[in-house]
Amino acid sequence: IRNKIVDIEKMEILSHLSASISHEVRNGLTGAKGFMQLLKENESDFQKQKYIGIALGELERSEFIIRDFLTFAKPAPEKIEKINMEHFLNYIIELVSPISNMNSIKVKKSLSPFWVIGDRRIIQQAFLNIFKNAIEAMPNGGQLGISVKSHKDMYEISIEDTGVGMDSEQIERLGKPYFTTRGQKGTGLGMMVAYRVIEELNGKIKVTSQIGKGTTFTIYLPSSFHNSENVIIDPSVRNVEHN
Ligand code: ADP
Ligand code: MG
């Protein structure tokens, strides 16, 4: 038993450490990328421009890895609050709207209020990863549907895309670290984080997909509250980190 406790402590130290390292490294990367972009814009030499482009690509890739991993390495301290999920989902939709607009994706939502208790930043990362995957699956446009249904003891959140879809082998591998079909642009960490987070909320994820037709992620979360009577904390979007 003693050894086990020590191991858990070590894991916690490790995860806090990697969270703070991630933050630091990300700041550095963002700064370096900004300067490289400036260099590239003002460079007339074609060859040099090409090299800068390659460097920018590598920086970006490192940034993706850090970004997708950030939540997995839990930042300390956790902040548990009561989250109004209707506001929360609207905010996630807003966050991804630059990429959904760019891909000419129509967003259709049917939301209703419900509440979840948890760490907002971590839950946000999970949903962002799922939303981004749905959008990335529709490079030539399509429809992103977000809907909420309430059941007796749980809520059902569906995120539906009309994208490329997945076969059963892909679905099987979903959530395993480094599984990606997006080549250099993918990290294969997004779904791993999403699965972990939903699991921690005592929820479940169901995936249905058809190649060429689209994919639906259905997330089941136990309902923390059945009505809006005692909502104390209203989500303040100002506190939510953009990434
Ligand atoms: P990444 O997005 O970096 O590839 P993820 O863990 O987020 O890593 O996703 C892993 C893989 O799962 C993706 O590369 C893609 O093949 C598949 N995938 C996830 N969501 C969808 C979706 N909505 N439609 C089609 N494929 C998806
Ligand atoms: Mg992803």
Side-chain angles (χ1 to χ4, degrees):
I1 286 182
R2 208 183 185 103
N3 284 337
K4 262 234 165 73
I5 292 170
V6 172
D7 280 349
I8 290 167
E9 275 176 1
K10 274 187 192 156
M11 276 301 289
E12 291 212 327
I13 292 168
L14 192 65
S15 92
H16 289 173
L17 191 65
S18 42
S20 53
I21 291 173
S22 297
H23 277 290
E24 294 302 324
V25 172
R26 187 154 84 159
N27 288 342
L29 286 172
T30 307
K33 241 179 69 186
F35 285 114
M36 294 293 268
Q37 235 129 27
L38 275 179
L39 273 182
K40 197 176 172 215
E41 276 159 25
N42 299 316
E43 184 54 67
S44 48
D45 184 319
F46 176 74
Q47 190 69 8
K48 280 189 192 160
Q49 227 188 29
K50 195 178 119 191
Y51 291 152
I52 297 172
I54 293 171
L56 266 173
E58 291 299 317
L59 285 174
E60 199 152 75
R61 183 166 167 68
S62 314
E63 212 180 19
F64 289 160
I65 292 170
I66 295 280
R67 185 200 58 205
D68 285 356
F69 185 73
L70 203 57
T71 315
F72 187 60
K74 253 192 220 161
E78 250 183 313
K79 202 174 137 228
I80 304 297
E81 57 184 301
K82 189 169 166 181
I83 301 165
N84 176 332
M85 290 299 284
E86 188 180 13
H87 293 188
F88 176 87
L89 288 170
N90 269 316
Y91 180 61
I92 302 281
I93 294 168
E94 225 175 87
L95 272 187
V96 297
S97 66
I99 26 173
S100 59
N101 288 337
M102 215 162 64
N103 291 8
S104 352
I105 287 162
K106 222 173 80 192
V107 178
K108 224 179 129 189
K109 56 184 179 178
S110 149
L111 303 177
S112 52
F114 73 106
W115 285 263
V116 160
I117 290 181
D119 185 316
R120 176 188 299 280
R121 282 205 304 177
I122 290 179
I123 301 173
Q124 176 179 321
Q125 176 102 59
F127 278 93
L128 259 185
N129 290 352
I130 295 172
F131 275 60
K132 275 200 222 145
N133 282 343
I135 291 167
E136 281 155 4
M138 301 183 281
N140 304 315
Q143 185 169 296
L144 177 67
I146 300 112
S147 63
V148 172
K149 275 190 212 135
S150 82
H151 298 284
K152 200 163 161 278
D153 304 309
M154 61 168 177
Y155 285 93
E156 182 186 320
I157 307 156
S158 294
I159 296 137
E160 192 177 351
D161 67 61
T162 57
V164 293
M166 284 177 275
D167 61 25
S168 51
E169 196 224 351
Q170 279 172 283
I171 294 177
E172 186 61 40
R173 296 179 65 190
L174 213 55
K176 303 228 164 83
Y178 312 122
F179 164 62
T180 181
T181 57
R182 301 201 304 111
Q184 281 287 92
K185 284 205 154 157
T187 64
L189 293 174
M191 283 312 297
M192 178 190 74
V193 167
Y195 276 52
R196 274 291 174 101
V197 171
I198 302 300
E199 201 173 65
E200 228 169 276
L201 292 170
N202 294 317
K204 284 206 160 51
I205 300 186
K206 191 181 90 187
V207 189
T208 54
S209 189
Q210 212 181 331
I211 292 281
K213 285 264 160 73
T215 304
T216 303
F217 280 88
T218 314
I219 298 157
Y220 300 93
L221 292 176
S223 50
S224 311
F225 300 95
H226 287 280
N227 57 50
S228 57
E229 270 165 37
N230 44 3
V231 189
I232 311 149
I233 298 154
D234 205 45
S236 148
V237 291
R238 277 169 296 126
N239 291 336
V240 184
E241 247 186 77
H242 292 250
N243 63 58

